[in-house]
Amino acid sequence: MSDVDAEAAKASRTRQAEDPESDVGGIAADRLRSIIERVERLEEERKALAGDIKDIFAEAKSAGFDVKVIRQIISIRKKEPAEVEEQETLLDLYRRALGM
């Protein structure tokens, strides 16, 4: 082992002895843990939001609204007006081509 390698190994052991969780195998353990915990927290929030959305659709259905149509309207509202117009034009063209 060269002197440089020996010094690097000694420095690594010294850092690990001072703070064993800060750097494990070249990975910043605290940073990794923080990232994983943030993702887990956001996944829990997403799960809660999905439940809330499901409840709103159930409310809409019980009020007599067609949930499938509501979902389509939400999808349309996300699109740019030009894109919606193009799709409606194509839909009309295809309907006429099929005699509908």
Side-chain angles (χ1 to χ4, degrees):
M1 183 182 285
S2 71
D3 291 340
V4 173
D5 290 337
E7 284 186 40
K10 182 179 177 184
S12 176
R13 284 191 302 271
T14 302
R15 280 194 310 270
Q16 287 178 355
E18 292 170 359
D19 187 5
E21 291 191 282
S22 67
D23 189 12
V24 179
I27 297 174
D30 291 339
R31 178 70 192 257
L32 178 61
R33 183 178 297 106
S34 170
I35 289 169
I36 290 171
E37 288 172 352
R38 287 170 37 210
V39 169
E40 289 172 340
R41 187 174 52 254
L42 289 171
E43 285 177 345
E44 286 297 318
E45 289 176 22
R46 178 172 44 186
K47 192 174 173 182
L49 287 172
D52 292 345
I53 292 170
K54 183 178 176 182
D55 291 344
I56 293 170
F57 281 122
E59 177 184 339
K61 185 175 182 176
S62 69
F65 294 106
D66 187 323
V67 173
K68 186 175 179 180
V69 174
I70 291 174
R71 289 184 189 277
Q72 288 176 336
I73 289 173
I74 292 169
S75 174
I76 290 168
R77 288 172 54 114
K78 290 179 183 178
K79 297 176 184 174
E80 294 293 322
E83 184 181 358
V84 172
E85 185 177 338
E86 180 182 349
Q87 286 182 346
E88 288 176 352
T89 302
L90 283 173
L91 181 61
D92 184 51
L93 177 66
Y94 292 176
R95 282 183 176 158
R96 285 187 286 141
L98 295 172
M100 296 174 69

